[in-house]
Amino acid sequence: MAQRYHVFSLPPELLETLVPRNLISQPPPPAVSTIIQTAPPVSDNARACNICLGATFADVTEQRSHFRSDWHRYNVKIRLRGGSPVTELVFAQLVDGLEDSLSGSASSDESSDDSDAVKVLVNKTKRTSRSPSLSEERQTPLTALTWFHSPPSTQIGVYRMLFPIDTPAPSYLAELKSIQERVEGGRKWAMFMVAGGHFAGAIVEVSRPAEDQDSTFSAKTKKRPPKPKPETSILKHKTFHRYTTRRKQGGSQSVNDNSKGAAISAGAMLRRYGEQALRDDIRNLLLDWADDIQDCERIWLRASVSNRRIFLDYENCVINKGDDRLRTFPFPTRRPTQSELVRCLLELTQVKTSHLTEEALRAQDEAFLASLPKPKATPSVVPTAVPEKAKPQRLTKEEEAYREKWSRLLDMISKGRSEPLKSFWEREGASLGGVDALIPEWTGDRHASLLQIAVQSGQEDVTRWLLYELHADPTILVPSSGVLQEAANESDTSNAPPLQGVGSRRTAYDLARARAVRDIFRQCAGDHPDWWDWFGAAHVPSTFNKEREEARDEKKKQRKKGLKEKMREREARDGERESKQSVIDDEQVEAKSEPRSQDPTAPRKLGGSSGAVDGVVGLTAELRAKVERERRARAAEARLKILTGA
C-alpha cells in the first residue's frame, strides 16, 4: 500500500531531495555553450578572433591556422545556432568526452570542415541545451497539480491552488517548504458549497498549532502512549436545504425568471421564497462565523455565477469580492453535504504519490509531447494592394435642396396630403420640371411619373387633381425595370380589368387597384376626350356614363331584393310544414295517451312501445299530462309565429 503524506507535514528527508519536475523527468544539465565566460583582455596591437574567447595571434599565419581549427569551426556553428562560444579549455574537455578524439586540427584539408567529430559534438551540445520552444510551452496544458521529483523513483503532486496566486512556477518548491512550518494558532480553512438549494459549510483546521505538541511519554509510567492527533479536524460545520429548483428540471427560479419572465404559480412562489430564505440563512451563518473566517488562510467556494452573489459583493459582506484567499475547488464536486466537504478536504491536503523510474518518466513525457498538436506555421501574409473605396461625391447646397424638394413631393403624394401638396406645387412645381417630369433614379422609386405614384398609392383626390387641374399625361409607360408584381397579383383578386400589357406596355390606369381610382380616369376620358388618347395609349377601356352606372346599380339592388323575397317565401313554407307536422304529432300523442282496453289473451309485440309514447312510459298520470301540455304549447307558439310572420 502506498504511503500517504499530508501536505503540511511532509517528512524532512523527502523535502531535502525534492526537485521541481519539468516536462522531461530528468532536469537537463546546464549547457556548456550557455555558460557566461569572460575573455582575458587583449592589447590594441595584438590580433584576435571575434568569435573565440581569448584567442590572440602574433601574425597572420597563426591567425589563418586558427580559422582552420576544430575549435574555431565549433564556435562558428554554435554561434549560428544561437549559442555562446566556448574557451579552448572547455572545448578540450568536450573533446575528451567523445569516444573518438579529434585529430589533425591544424590540417589544411578542406574536408575537415565537415568532419563527423565536429558534427557529433555540435549535435550533442544541441540536444543537451535544448529547451522547449515558445510554441510548445503554449500548447502544453496547465494541470491542476504541480509535481516534484525525489530521486530515484518517487514523485509527489500538490494542487497549485494551495500556493499564493502570484507565485511563479519555479517558486513552488520554496512555498511547499515554507508551509511545513507550524504557525501559532494553526492553519485554518473555510469551505463552502451551494448548489440546487443545498448548502454545506465548515471551518477546518489543516495544520496543528505550534504549541500543540504531543507530550513526551515517560518510560516509568505504565500508561500507554497517547495516539497522535490528526493534522486535520473540523471545528465548525453547518448544512441545510431549501426548495429552490423544480424536480428533474434544474436551474434556479431566479435564473428562469430572468430568461423567460416571472412565472405565476404556487410552485414558483415557493421557490422564490426558498431562494430568499437560503440567501438569508447563509449570510447569517457567515456573520456568526465572521471571526473564524478572518483567521482562515484559504476560503474554498463552490457556487455558480448567480449563487456567488450570496457570499460576495453585498452590503456589510464578510468576504470581499477581491479577497486573495478565495479559491475554487480544482476538481469536480458532488452535492453539497458534510461528507462531501470531508472528501474535498482530504483530496486537497493529501499529497498524490507515484513511483516511476527516470526512464519511465522520460518515456511518459515523450509520449505526452508526441500527443500534443503540432504548432501551426504562421502563414506569411503578402500585403496586397487594397483598392480604395470610391468616396461618395459631396453634394452642393443647391443639389441638396433639389433632392429635399423631390423627397417632400413624393411623400405628400403617396400619403394623400392634398392641401399641402397644392400649395407646395404652386411654389416649386416649375423648378421640378412640371407634372410630367421623370422621377430621378436616386429616389429609388420604380415609377416614371407623379400620376403613377398617386394611382399606385390609391389616392383618389390627388389623382383627380393631377388629371383635371395639372393635365398629367396618362399615356406615360411604366419603366420596364420597374414592373410591379404586387400590383399585378392584387389586380387579379380585385374588380380591376385584365392588364393591358406587360413590362413597358403598362400605364397609370393599369396600376389602379381600386375601382374609384379607375372611375376617375373614365370620367376624365368622358369629360375631355380630346386631351389624350384615352382608349389607345392610356389603356382606358370606356368612358364613365352616370346613367348607365346608376342603372347597373339599380339592377344589382333589384337582384338582391328578389333574392331576399325568395328566401322569405322559403322560410314561410318551411314554417307551415313544421306547424302541420306538429299538429299531426299532437293528435297522435293524444290518441296514444287515451287508455285502451287490452285483451289479456291477445298476442303482444316484443320490444315494447316506440315513438312519442317512449317519453312518457313509466310516468305518473300527472307528469304525463304536464308533458302533453308543454308539447301543445310549443306547437301553438310555432303556429302563431308563422301567422305573425306572414
Side-chain angles (χ1 to χ4, degrees), residues 399 402-407 410 439-445:
E399 292 176 345
Y402 180 74
R403 294 195 175 192
E404 178 66 22
K405 292 177 183 178
W406 267 106
S407 300
L410 298 180
I439 299 176
E441 295 181 358
W442 54 264
T443 59
D445 199 287

Side-chain angles (χ1 to χ4, degrees), residues 110-405:
E110 296 180 357
S111 62
S112 62
D113 294 341
D114 298 328
S115 62
D116 296 337
V118 175
K119 287 184 179 181
V120 171
L121 189 60
V122 171
N123 293 335
K124 181 179 178 181
T125 307
K126 179 181 178 182
R127 286 195 302 268
T128 55
S129 62
R130 181 183 179 273
S131 60
S133 61
L134 294 178
S135 61
E136 291 178 351
E137 291 179 358
R138 287 193 209 101
Q139 292 181 358
T140 303
L142 186 64
T143 59
L145 292 169
T146 178
W147 288 88
F148 303 93
H149 178 68
S150 176
S153 60
T154 302
Q155 298 84 33
I156 65 171
V158 181
Y159 283 104
R160 299 176 187 269
M161 289 293 184
L162 299 180
F163 305 125
I165 297 177
D166 54 351
T167 303
S171 303
Y172 283 160
L173 182 57
E175 289 291 336
L176 181 62
K177 293 180 179 180
S178 64
I179 64 177
Q180 306 303 315
E181 300 176 0
R182 298 187 182 274
V183 297
E184 185 178 356
R187 300 179 186 272
K188 296 179 182 180
W189 285 356
M191 306 176 71
F192 301 104
M193 292 183 180
V194 59
H198 297 269
F199 169 80
I203 303 294
V204 298
E205 185 181 52
V206 295
S207 177
R208 288 180 296 172
E211 60 273 9
D212 187 12
Q213 300 290 341
D214 295 336
S215 59
T216 57
F217 173 71
S218 176
K220 298 180 180 179
T221 61
K222 298 182 179 179
K223 296 182 180 180
R224 294 182 179 179
K227 295 182 179 180
K229 295 183 178 180
E231 291 290 341
T232 59
S233 60
I234 299 178
L235 305 179
K236 294 181 179 180
H237 64 87
K238 183 69 176 178
T239 59
F240 42 80
H241 170 255
R242 294 286 185 174
Y243 174 57
T244 61
T245 58
R246 295 180 63 185
R247 183 184 297 272
K248 297 182 180 180
Q249 296 292 328
S252 62
Q253 186 64 40
S254 60
V255 174
N256 186 75
D257 293 344
N258 294 333
S259 60
K260 300 180 181 179
I264 304 175
S265 64
M269 296 177 65
L270 288 175
R271 287 187 288 273
R272 293 191 192 97
Y273 171 77
E275 290 183 4
Q276 181 66 33
L278 180 67
R279 179 167 58 251
D280 296 342
D281 292 343
I282 293 176
R283 290 180 177 177
N284 292 335
L285 181 66
L286 294 178
L287 191 61
D288 295 340
W289 292 359
D291 296 337
D292 296 315
I293 293 175
Q294 295 300 326
D295 297 337
C296 289
E297 187 179 57
R298 295 286 181 267
I299 301 175
W300 301 90
L301 180 61
R302 178 249 171 133
S304 62
V305 177
S306 58
N307 287 335
R308 287 180 71 88
R309 292 192 291 266
I310 300 177
F311 300 88
L312 313 172
D313 200 15
Y314 64 92
E315 187 176 359
N316 299 327
C317 58
V318 178
I319 305 173
N320 296 323
K321 188 175 182 181
D323 198 332
D324 57 357
R325 300 175 299 168
L326 278 173
R327 298 289 190 276
T328 58
F329 291 95
F331 45 81
T333 57
R334 295 186 285 269
R335 173 180 290 183
T337 57
Q338 183 179 352
S339 59
E340 179 63 13
L341 285 178
V342 173
R343 187 189 72 84
C344 295
L345 176 61
L346 295 178
E347 179 71 18
L348 290 170
T349 56
Q350 285 186 356
V351 175
K352 311 298 177 293
T353 59
S354 65
H355 300 281
L356 298 175
T357 61
E358 296 184 359
E359 290 76 10
L361 289 175
R362 182 177 295 277
Q364 186 183 58
D365 293 343
E366 290 178 354
F368 175 72
L369 288 176
S371 65
L372 293 178
K374 296 182 179 180
K376 296 181 179 179
T378 55
S380 58
V381 180
V382 179
T384 58
V386 180
E388 296 182 358
K389 295 182 179 180
K391 296 182 180 179
Q393 185 179 1
R394 297 188 61 181
L395 302 177
T396 61
K397 293 183 178 180
E398 291 77 8
E399 292 176 345
E400 291 180 356
Y402 180 74
R403 294 195 175 192
E404 178 66 22
K405 292 177 183 178

Side-chain angles (χ1 to χ4, degrees), residues 401-421:
Y402 180 74
R403 294 195 175 192
E404 178 66 22
K405 292 177 183 178
W406 267 106
S407 300
R408 291 181 57 192
L409 176 62
L410 298 180
D411 181 69
M412 288 186 288
I413 291 176
S414 61
K415 294 182 179 179
R417 302 169 60 188
S418 302
E419 297 302 328
L421 175 61

Side-chain angles (χ1 to χ4, degrees), residues 384-596:
T384 58
V386 180
E388 296 182 358
K389 295 182 179 180
K391 296 182 180 179
Q393 185 179 1
R394 297 188 61 181
L395 302 177
T396 61
K397 293 183 178 180
E398 291 77 8
E399 292 176 345
E400 291 180 356
Y402 180 74
R403 294 195 175 192
E404 178 66 22
K405 292 177 183 178
W406 267 106
S407 300
R408 291 181 57 192
L409 176 62
L410 298 180
D411 181 69
M412 288 186 288
I413 291 176
S414 61
K415 294 182 179 179
R417 302 169 60 188
S418 302
E419 297 302 328
L421 175 61
K422 293 177 182 178
S423 59
F424 176 80
W425 188 260
E426 291 178 0
R427 298 192 311 269
E428 308 293 346
S431 62
L432 295 177
V435 68
D436 295 328
L438 294 177
I439 299 176
E441 295 181 358
W442 54 264
T443 59
D445 199 287
R446 298 180 294 177
H447 302 91
S449 63
L450 302 178
L451 180 61
Q452 295 177 5
I453 296 177
V455 172
Q456 181 70 35
S457 303
Q459 305 298 336
E460 302 176 18
D461 297 337
V462 178
T463 303
R464 187 182 301 276
W465 175 68
L466 291 173
L467 286 176
Y468 278 90
E469 297 185 19
L470 300 184
H471 298 180
D473 187 359
T475 62
I476 298 177
L477 300 176
V478 178
S480 58
S481 60
V483 179
L484 301 177
Q485 296 295 337
E486 296 178 1
N489 296 334
E490 294 180 6
S491 64
D492 294 339
T493 58
S494 63
N495 296 326
L499 298 178
Q500 300 294 331
V502 180
S504 60
R505 296 295 301 166
R506 303 178 68 198
T507 61
Y509 182 83
D510 298 327
L511 300 178
R513 292 176 290 181
R515 178 182 173 183
V517 177
R518 295 194 297 271
D519 289 344
I520 295 174
F521 280 86
R522 297 171 61 195
Q523 290 174 5
C524 189
D527 297 341
H528 306 283
D530 55 340
W531 281 5
W532 309 102
D533 185 9
W534 296 100
F535 310 112
H539 296 175
V540 178
S542 62
T543 59
F544 182 82
N545 191 335
K546 187 175 182 180
E547 296 177 357
R548 186 170 56 194
E549 296 293 333
E550 291 177 355
R552 185 176 62 180
D553 295 341
E554 184 66 23
K555 190 175 181 180
K556 288 184 179 180
K557 290 180 181 179
Q558 292 295 334
R559 188 182 298 111
K560 290 182 180 179
K561 186 177 181 181
L563 291 175
K564 290 182 179 179
E565 291 178 356
K566 288 182 179 180
M567 291 296 296
R568 192 179 295 112
E569 292 176 358
R570 183 180 300 172
E571 292 176 357
R573 288 196 300 269
D574 294 341
E576 292 178 359
R577 188 182 299 109
E578 291 177 359
S579 63
K580 291 179 181 180
Q581 185 66 30
S582 63
V583 172
I584 295 172
D585 294 341
D586 293 341
E587 293 176 354
Q588 292 178 355
V589 171
E590 291 176 359
K592 292 180 179 179
S593 62
E594 293 178 357
R596 295 180 182 179

